[in-house]
């Protein structure tokens, strides 16, 4: 049975939502969760019924969100260090961590190593779009702040493989995030990357920020700095719209009634479409291993979905495809 | 009386919304519009009553949105070329153009020239935030795709002056757009800019994409590539939320009734808060002149507000302040 290592201590809210997510996942799928952390603390949240359905792997240290990622190699008792150690020693299938994402990425890269010929790993995330049951993959969203054109080119290849093998798209379309759709647009970095990507048959050219949400393009490539700006801007706009709407609703009785009538069918389903908890986490592409980085603020549903995503990610064995394609001379 | 030069031919929808915007502005404020373009065409949309309230300045060419900005210097009969020529020869106070923004920026820079010591002009735009009657100024949003740290530093100074003198904020707070709030975050460019900006008393450090919308910071500084990504991502998210909501509303009768009840008080006021037509246009900062670049898709209200903004911009005479501060050794 598939073994998924879960950093039980990472995340902004401690072990509780993580253990709950594991339980929810166990109720729906067969797999063995390896819970890494303080067994005593984990047992506070784990009902007896589940105790023999999981494995424990002890760790005594937790890397806090405020810690600096560069020291993490020395903290060999941290839950994330131990999670990766477990994978190396025991050949577990995948890792899910909602802990310090910089530390998780650094440790994964240093200890599991990059896939041969991959220059830098890329962190990919799914974004909502207006098409039913469709999502747009965006990468990089934080693994490489300062990218080279070659990094972006490799992200395009890995993003294509992920969209094809895991999202199940037959012909995923790849776009390069730019400040205009014309071929001539872009900054120095994207102009160089555009040239490299033009060799890929599935590359559809430059796209703009709004194209992430139309569903016309399946994978959008950008550097980690820009990817973060997209994520945070989108988050800010969603929260602004809801805050402004709530302010107005409070001021008018008909609007209050209207909002009640819309609550179940409209607002809830909208929330579901744009809620990252529905999406799981972010796969780290280009590492010898299957690592899903969940949001620090993950609730149990987000953890459950991150576990399902880790199972799919690992089952796909896409790293074999990535290694094969990267072994060809690509530049 | 103040003279505002208006490129009557630029914009995606031709002269009609522009002339309508001029009429709306004339009904509310005293100023002399100088309408640049084909007089015959302008007269199709200008009622007789207004004919002696405007001046005409003939031009026979229009730079289309699809034209490349680099050829514009040679097209001396274009409405935007003539608009700038009019300002140079006749000392008009400001220019409003909804035409090709690249051409407008290039021609303004080449013919009106940069303010002494300004390395590159910056294009600023107002973004909605959750605070009533408050907006966040974002720059650069398209004048300089590849910025240097010095460019960003100068944008911070010019943004501060604009927020202070024109938005009327006593102590505007300036933030640098980054991929995290900690001082250590950023890409190479923003890390360098951070060091320079740290000399400014009003610099509050790194901010993230979502901070644009909280109202906690008044001016957000970024390179033109990132600024475009913020604008387009925000546009995409707004349109996605409304599209998804409409889809759900259509499916349920209670939701349809709810939406009707919310229409007047909630959706209309929300639209007003986030509609760029309410904001006018984008001031180009750092040029010897007062230029407002309006959205290509401007309706008459957007043009009217862009004209009002141009009047304020020019009345403020902030270029004198900018020149004075830039004349001090700043690096």
């Amino acid at each position: 049975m598939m073994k998924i290592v879960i950093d039980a201590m990472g995340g902004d809210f401690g072990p509780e939502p993580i253990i709950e997510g594991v339980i929810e996942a166990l109720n729906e799928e067969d797999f063995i969760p390896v819970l890494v952390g303080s067994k005593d603390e984990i047992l506070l949240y784990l009902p007896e019924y589940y105790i023999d359905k999981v494995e424990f792997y002890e760790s005594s240290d937790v890397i806090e969100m405020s810690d600096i990622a560069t020291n993490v190699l020395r903290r060999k008792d941290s839950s994330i260090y131990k999670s990766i150690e477990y994978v190396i020693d025991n050949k577990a299938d995948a890792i899910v961590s909602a802990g310090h994402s910089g530390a998780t990425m650094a440790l994964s890269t240093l200890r599991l190593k990059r896939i041969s010929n991959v220059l830098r790993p890329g962190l990919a995330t799914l974004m909502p779009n207006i098409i039913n049951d469709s999502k747009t993959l965006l990468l990089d969203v934080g693994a490489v702040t300062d990218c080279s054109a070659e990094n972006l080119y490799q992200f395009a290849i890995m993003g294509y493989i992920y969209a094809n093998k895991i999202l199940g798209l037959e012909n995923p379309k790849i776009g390069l995030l730019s400040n205009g759709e014309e071929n001539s647009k872009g900054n120095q970095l994207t102009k160089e990357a555009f040239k490299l990507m033009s060799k890929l048959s599935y590359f559809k050219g430059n796209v703009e920020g709004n194209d992430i949400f139309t569903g016309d393009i399946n994978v959008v490539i950008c550097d980690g700095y820009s990817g973060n700006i997209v994520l945070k801007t989108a988050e800010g706009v969603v929260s602004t719209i809801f805050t402004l709407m709530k302010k107005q609703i409070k001021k008018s009785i008909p609007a209050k009634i209207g909002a009640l009538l819309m609550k179940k069918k409209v607002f809830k389903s909208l929330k579901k479409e744009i809620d990252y908890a529905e999406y799981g986490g972010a796969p780290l592409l280009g590492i010898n291993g299957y690592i899903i980085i969940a949001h620090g603020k993950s609730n149990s549903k987000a953890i459950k979905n991150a576990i399902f995503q880790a199972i799919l990610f690992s089952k796909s064995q896409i790293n074999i495809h990535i290694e094969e394609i990267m072994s060809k001379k690509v530049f």
Side-chain angles (χ1 to χ4, degrees), chain A:
Chain A
M1 217 186 308
M2 200 162 263
K3 257 191 190 179
I4 309 293
V5 176
I6 292 140
D7 175 356
M9 311 304 281
D12 296 1
F13 310 123
E16 189 169 2
I18 298 173
I19 306 303
E20 275 173 25
V22 170
I23 294 169
E24 289 174 24
L26 277 172
N27 292 342
E28 293 183 37
E29 286 257 7
D30 280 331
F31 71 102
I32 302 167
V34 180
L35 303 178
V36 182
S38 149
K39 188 172 173 180
D40 289 349
E41 229 179 298
I42 293 169
L43 286 176
L44 294 175
Y45 306 105
L46 192 71
E48 237 187 278
Y49 172 79
Y50 292 96
I51 290 177
D52 60 356
K53 299 192 186 308
V54 307
E55 282 182 23
F56 295 94
Y57 195 63
E58 194 69 28
S59 75
S60 56
D61 185 16
V62 182
I63 294 172
E64 302 294 335
M65 295 301 178
S66 53
D67 291 340
I68 295 166
T70 43
N71 290 327
V72 294
L73 251 189
R74 270 176 267 152
R75 289 171 62 178
K76 301 192 178 184
D77 281 314
S78 74
S79 55
I80 180 61
Y81 195 102
K82 287 280 181 187
S83 295
I84 291 168
E85 185 180 87
Y86 186 95
V87 172
I88 293 171
D89 296 348
N90 300 277
K91 312 263 175 250
D93 297 284
I95 298 174
V96 170
S97 176
H100 191 301
S101 62
T104 309
M105 290 189 284
L107 277 170
S108 306
T109 310
L110 290 164
R111 304 215 60 218
L112 295 171
K113 311 284 184 204
R114 284 172 279 118
I115 294 172
S116 305
N117 300 307
V118 170
L119 300 166
R120 300 289 295 272
L123 189 63
T125 194
L126 289 167
M127 301 288 288
N129 65 45
I130 56 169
I131 309 295
N132 279 344
D133 302 318
S134 156
K135 301 281 171 269
T136 307
L137 193 73
L138 177 71
L139 79 160
D140 174 52
V141 293
V144 189
T145 307
D146 287 291
C147 282
S148 68
E150 288 75 15
N151 293 150
L152 296 182
Y153 174 74
Q154 291 196 336
F155 294 163
I157 294 171
M158 295 193 287
Y160 174 87
I161 296 173
Y162 190 91
N164 179 238
K165 302 285 179 194
I166 296 184
L167 305 181
L169 300 171
E170 214 173 312
N171 295 304
K173 292 182 215 161
I174 315 289
L176 175 62
L177 189 63
S178 188
N179 58 335
E181 288 187 354
E182 303 84 352
N183 291 357
S184 61
K185 289 282 180 166
N187 58 17
Q188 275 178 5
L189 169 66
T190 67
K191 281 177 184 170
E192 255 185 80
F194 187 99
K195 278 185 217 158
L196 291 175
M197 288 186 196
S198 295
K199 298 177 204 167
L200 304 169
S201 59
Y202 43 80
F203 177 56
K204 303 302 171 195
N206 286 329
V207 299
E208 295 186 82
N210 51 327
D211 296 314
I212 297 169
F213 308 97
T214 60
D216 292 338
I217 207 91
N218 308 109
V219 182
V220 173
I221 303 299
C222 61
D223 64 275
Y225 172 88
S226 303
N228 183 277
I229 286 170
V230 168
L231 289 188
K232 293 300 171 70
T233 299
E235 202 182 298
V237 172
V238 169
S239 125
T240 303
I241 289 181
F242 283 101
T243 306
L244 293 175
M245 267 174 48
K246 274 182 201 156
K247 263 194 196 173
Q248 294 301 331
I249 288 168
K250 271 191 193 158
K251 288 186 198 161
S252 138
I253 291 169
K256 273 185 196 161
I257 299 166
L260 271 175
L261 289 168
M262 285 177 70
K263 194 173 175 182
K264 206 172 149 194
K265 293 284 180 187
V266 181
F267 295 135
K268 279 202 178 161
S269 83
L270 179 63
K271 197 175 166 284
K272 202 175 141 94
E273 297 239 34
I274 59 178
D275 185 8
Y276 66 82
E278 302 287 337
Y279 293 65
L284 185 63
L285 300 174
I287 294 292
N288 281 312
Y290 296 96
I291 297 127
I292 296 288
I293 295 187
H295 201 296
K297 293 189 165 43
S298 287
N299 57 18
S300 60
K301 191 196 265 180
I303 296 293
K304 179 189 80 175
N305 285 324
I307 292 170
F308 292 163
Q309 200 181 9
I311 292 172
L312 272 180
F313 191 19
S314 168
K315 264 191 191 155
S316 73
Q317 293 295 305
I318 66 166
N319 287 348
I320 297 169
H321 296 277
I322 292 176
E323 187 161 358
E324 200 189 305
I325 290 183
M326 292 296 180
S327 72
K328 293 167 192 162
K329 202 171 157 52
V330 281
F331 297 120

